[in-house]
Amino acid sequence: MKKAFHSIFAMILAGIAVTGCTDEVQLGNSFLDKAPGGSMNLDSIFSNPDYVNQFLTNIYNKQYYGLPYNSGKNQAASPYNGKLDALTDLYQMHWSSCKVWTSYYTGTFSASEDPLISFSNDNVWQIVHQVSVIKENIERVPGMSQQKKDYIVAQAKALQAFAYSLLLPHYGGLPIIESTISDAGGGVGERATFEETVNAIVKWCDEAKDHLYWAYNGNDSESSSLQTGRWTKAGVMALKAQVLWLAASPLYNSNESYYDGTTDAETKNLVWYGNYDASRWQRALQAFEDFWEENRKNGEYYHLYQAEKKTLDGYRLAYRRGYMYDDSPENIHWTKVSGIYGTQGAYSWLDWNTWNVNRNNNSPTLEYINMFPWSDGKPFDFETDMKLDRTYINDKDNSEWKVYTCLSGKYDKLFYKYEFGRVTKKTYMRDPRLYENAVVSGTLGNLALKSPDGKASGNIMELWVGGQNAQSCVKHPTDNTLTESLTSYCPTGFAAYKYVLNRDEWWRDPNMHWNVLTIPDMILMYAECLAECGRNEDAIKQVDLIRARVGMKSIASSYNSSKNLKTDKNNLIEEILRERACELGQTNARYIDMIRRKRTDWMTKQLHGLASFRMIQNAKLEWVRRNAPYFGDDKNSGQTEPGRFEYEPFELMQGKRALWGKDPNSLEVRKWFMMPFPQTEINKGYGLIQNPGW
């Protein structure tokens, strides 16, 4: 499938000029007191259908975009802040000047700072304000049919619903704004309850859906694929389902508040419903089934991207093309931005992630790597699948560290199984999604996104200590204690890959989109709703759709028989959460899962890396370490690449998080489920009540 660059991107550029036609919206007194633009400006905009469309397009430009790309833009855009994923157990940041490190890892973040999802600095209220401008003035537009007016208003409502859905999981109840703010028109008002906020988002989605196209499928001129990137009926139905799934989750749908139950935000039901009601899961389930039914009526327009070849490279490309092609059948809604960082010509997150300065490298943890099953679907278990090779004792304090192997006969099988003879045989051993979410030793360096033959090529990636790519990724500063190097490509022993790839595969693409709603996410959210509603076998079938796409057996195969997934809801949900981590890396999904399922155990556990050491045989035929790239005399044996390694797991020390080792049930941990409102906004007195613990 050819990647398309659709006109919504060009229209965003054109729409930037419209920004000056309305006053910028600010919270607090400025937001309350300033009328939305002058009457002459409004007259100009709403006197011409083209100007109205440009005004609408400019609102699209303000949607949340999850890949940091420009320090001069809003909060989420700045690479100096970092990604939500780096606060979970999947990744560790190794740049000490990033907010993730300086404020979150240290535990010093407070309500005087802007969170990674900002209440006041992520364009939410600019969107809300300009949506109201459209709703209040659309009837003034001459020469525009009622159908077109309804279509524009529907898009505006979808934009507002999405803006609110961004803040909902992190802040709870929000002020519900349905009109522009002026001296004569009242103020922002107090926070609505969590339930009222959920219902408002659902209402906007319901009001919008019947005035939107299911997809921009080219069936007529209005639904041309050139409009891809605008909200659709599929998009708002999926957003409704997602919001209801979120709201039914234990953080909000429970008989016990997540904090201590005494704060105003809790007693006024601003951060939760105030009770548990199983029907909330049923309501979410129905929203998903409504989506799937409508998708069936429309010829399964949205579906999983399937592998053309049942090989590792084929599975990897199907997975990658599903999220990276903006016209992929998996992408229900995405966002784009037009800005670049300085003169680099690429999103700074890409340049800073792994390619040049290694500042934003969200390094996968060993905990994440261990979540990926074997290639046939059998769960990977470090304790049983890795074999203890030897234990070293530190004479100074009697501490010990362990070295492991993972061999099939004489050679390795942890990521690839190596068989050397007259013909070298190399077989992939793990879930193909692992190789798309993390770089591991032995993976060929180039699997081009648009590869005509679907085969990887180039040199292998060398992530062992001393390897060409890893170099000094970890070191033994004292007493053989491993620690990460901050300037390394792979300080945990692994490198980030999803949304990054490498220079040969995808270099300096200034049009990368951010996936907001995708089919894999929808399938796994739906599976969770089915499990919560007692339909375990139906949930398993949904998870198996995801696994089959990469060639793995059912999640309920004999490998998982001890977990009784067909009858044990809790075990099944644990497996669904793990599948979500494997499928949805770098999408904020793990962070959302962590907070909505109240997983303080993910917040407080010590995380690890895994150092790999290449092994060679010496003159005595003993296996010894060779901390160097693979070239020269090392290749004299005739092996095309190294085939044996030993491994040392180690505690991550750089950026050691303040919550690691804390009591997961303590208030100092539980407060992190919600983000704080800015104290400056609380102090302005227009109705915000601070979230618990802040």
Side-chain angles (χ1 to χ4, degrees), residues 115-249:
L116 296 185
I117 299 293
S118 173
F119 175 75
S120 56
N121 194 28
D122 269 325
N123 288 332
V124 168
W125 306 109
Q126 284 78 1
I127 290 173
V128 170
H129 178 72
Q130 292 185 11
V131 163
S132 295
V133 169
I134 285 180
K135 291 191 295 185
E136 293 172 5
N137 291 277
I138 191 67
E139 294 302 327
R140 301 170 55 186
V141 184
M144 180 181 286
S145 69
Q146 190 60 48
Q147 181 182 7
K148 184 71 171 181
K149 292 176 181 178
D150 292 342
Y151 173 56
I152 288 176
V153 170
Q155 289 184 72
K157 290 181 178 180
L159 287 161
Q160 180 160 1
F162 176 46
Y164 270 76
S165 74
L166 173 67
L167 299 185
L168 178 71
H170 310 291
Y171 293 93
L174 302 165
I176 307 299
I177 300 174
E178 293 272 24
S179 61
T180 53
I181 307 300
S182 66
D183 290 336
V188 173
E190 297 181 352
R191 287 180 69 179
T193 66
F194 179 80
E195 182 173 16
E196 290 168 341
T197 306
V198 170
N199 289 340
I201 297 171
V202 169
K203 177 177 74 76
W204 293 324
C205 289
D206 285 341
E207 291 173 349
K209 69 182 178 70
D210 290 332
H211 299 289
L212 298 171
Y213 299 100
W214 177 251
Y216 294 104
N217 51 23
N219 286 346
D220 55 51
S221 59
E222 285 292 320
S223 64
S224 166
S225 60
L226 293 176
Q227 301 298 318
T228 302
R230 292 185 181 273
W231 279 94
T232 60
K233 183 176 182 179
V236 293
M237 290 185 72
L239 181 62
K240 171 183 174 179
Q242 183 190 59
V243 166
L244 291 174
W245 159 83
L246 175 86
S249 299

Side-chain angles (χ1 to χ4, degrees), residues 380-396:
F380 178 84
D381 185 338
F382 192 94
E383 296 301 319
T384 59
D385 291 326
M386 303 292 286
K387 302 303 180 185
L388 180 63
D389 191 41
R390 56 186 179 275
T391 300
Y392 293 95
I393 304 296
N394 187 331
D395 293 335
K396 292 184 178 181

